[in-house]
Amino acid sequence: HQTPILVTPSARANYIEYHLSQSGNYDYQSFPLDGEVVHFRGPLFHGKIVSRVRDVPARAATNEPEIFRPARVDSKKYFKGRSRQFQWSVQGQFSKRVRFDEVITGQDFGRPFRNAPAVGLVKRGLELLKPKLPETFECELFTETPRFEHPLIAGCQFFRIDRPEDVINTDNCSTTTVHDYTDDDNDGNERTLGLAGENDKGEIIEDSSLLNDPSVPRDAVARRKYFSKKENLERFHFEPDLVYTFDYYANFFSPVRHTLELTSFFRVDLAPYFNGYPLFMAMAKDKTSGQYFWGTEMWHERILNYDQKPSFMARLLGTSKTCCLSSNSGTSCER
C-alpha cells in the first residue's frame, strides 16, 4: 500500500537516534504511523514515541513482534468515531532539570512562506484566536524564518508523570507497562506493547499528582488553561528522575491531504505556502538553546513540487503587499 506521506526523523535534530527499520529498498528511515512503539535517545531526552495518522495503511516493514499486533491500539481502532487527523505520544525521561516554560513545541521554518496571506488578515485571525491561545504563545510569520511556538505543557491534550519503578517493563505485555529505558537491550525486552498509562482507546490517562501541588488542576483542559499563564509555568520543572508522557492530537490538519480542514466545506490547501519545507509532526525544543528534545517531520509528495500555481484559496488569501520569497541567488522581497 502506498501513501502520499512519510514521517521521518527531523534533519533539524539529526543528533537524535531512533530505532527504526528501513523503508523497503530505500536508504531512508520512516516512522510507522499505526501506533507502533519506536524507541529513541538524544542528548536531552530518551524514551519512546507512538505516531498515528488517519487513512494511512499499516506498513509491512516493522520491528514489532507479531504477538503484540492484535492487542495494540492501531490507527483503525484509535480514529474510529473521532474527528482527529493525527496523533502522537512521547514517554520518557529528561536528561537534566528543565523549567516548564523552557520546553516548547510548535512549528519553525528555515525559509519564508510563499503566497503569504495579507498581514492584516493574519493579525485579525490571531486576534480571534487569542482567547484560545496560551498567554505564552509566540508567533513570527512574516520573517525570513517564520515560527509559532508555545509551552508543550500548555498545548498537549493529555499529560502524566510516573515514577520509573512504577512503569518498569514486566513479562505480561500489559498496555500499562514500558521498557526500562536501557536502549541497548537487544533481547526483545524493550519492544513493549504500549505506553504507561494508556487506556484501551489509545489515550494517555491524565495524572499530574506527582507535581505535589493542589493548585494544579487534575483535569486535562483545566491543566492546559492553568499552564497558559507564565507565572504558573515558572514554578515547575521537569525532573530527570521521573517519567513524563505527552499526548497530542489535531482535528483540523489532514497530513494525508496536506490541507487545513476547518469544516467539511472549507478546506485550505497548505502545499503552496510553506516553500517546500516540511511540517513537524512531533516536536519539543529547548527555548534557550534551540536544541530539540525530539523531532519528527511530515513529508508529503506535494510539497516536493511546492513551486506550483496557488489554488483559488491561496490566490484569494495571498494579497500581502510584501511577500518574502527564496531564490537561488538569495532571499528577496517583492512588492
Side-chain angles (χ1 to χ4, degrees), residues 194-211:
L195 303 179
E198 183 182 77
N199 64 23
D200 59 2
K201 296 181 180 179
E203 286 184 334
I204 297 300
I205 301 169
E206 182 89 5
D207 187 353
S208 58
S209 57
L210 288 180
L211 291 177

Side-chain angles (χ1 to χ4, degrees), residues 307-323:
D307 194 17
Q308 58 187 279
K309 291 183 179 180
S311 65
F312 171 75
M313 186 59 67
R315 294 196 303 272
L316 179 65
L317 298 179
T319 56
S320 160
K321 292 184 179 179
T322 302
C323 180

Side-chain angles (χ1 to χ4, degrees), residues 43-222:
L44 300 182
F45 190 95
H46 66 278
K48 53 188 184 178
I49 183 170
V50 167
S51 309
R52 298 180 179 94
V53 176
R54 181 184 287 275
D55 299 328
V56 172
R59 69 181 191 178
T62 178
N63 285 327
E64 186 181 46
E66 185 75 30
I67 191 174
F68 287 168
R69 296 177 197 171
R72 171 169 51 84
V73 181
D74 60 15
S75 291
K76 184 177 180 180
K77 298 175 188 174
Y78 179 85
F79 291 112
K80 185 178 181 180
R82 292 168 167 167
S83 60
R84 302 170 191 180
Q85 297 294 328
F86 74 91
Q87 177 268 342
W88 59 264
S89 298
V90 164
Q91 184 170 86
Q93 293 176 271
F94 289 87
S95 300
K96 64 179 182 179
R97 195 171 194 246
V98 192
R99 205 168 69 181
F100 272 18
D101 61 321
E102 290 293 309
V103 181
I104 60 175
T105 190
Q107 298 289 339
D108 55 56
F109 301 86
R111 45 181 175 260
F113 295 150
R114 297 172 62 88
N115 311 302
V119 177
L121 183 63
V122 172
K123 288 183 175 179
R124 178 56 179 160
L126 290 174
E127 288 174 1
L128 293 173
L129 289 173
K130 188 175 181 179
K132 298 183 178 181
L133 295 173
E135 291 180 9
T136 46
F137 180 82
E138 297 182 4
C139 179
E140 295 179 346
L141 297 182
F142 296 94
T143 68
E144 297 297 307
T145 54
R147 68 181 181 92
F148 53 91
E149 299 166 337
H150 58 82
L152 177 61
I153 188 68
C156 62
Q157 274 80 4
F158 299 105
F159 167 72
R160 70 178 288 118
I161 313 172
D162 293 283
R163 294 184 179 89
E165 60 267 26
D166 294 333
V167 295
I168 294 299
N169 190 27
T170 64
D171 294 329
N172 62 5
C173 298
S174 167
T175 58
T176 58
T177 62
V178 296
H179 76 318
D180 59 6
Y181 304 107
T182 57
D183 288 306
D184 56 353
D185 184 3
N186 294 317
D187 63 4
N189 288 334
E190 66 173 85
R191 295 174 181 175
T192 51
L193 176 60
L195 303 179
E198 183 182 77
N199 64 23
D200 59 2
K201 296 181 180 179
E203 286 184 334
I204 297 300
I205 301 169
E206 182 89 5
D207 187 353
S208 58
S209 57
L210 288 180
L211 291 177
N212 296 317
D213 191 317
S215 67
V216 179
R218 297 294 183 256
D219 171 73
V221 175

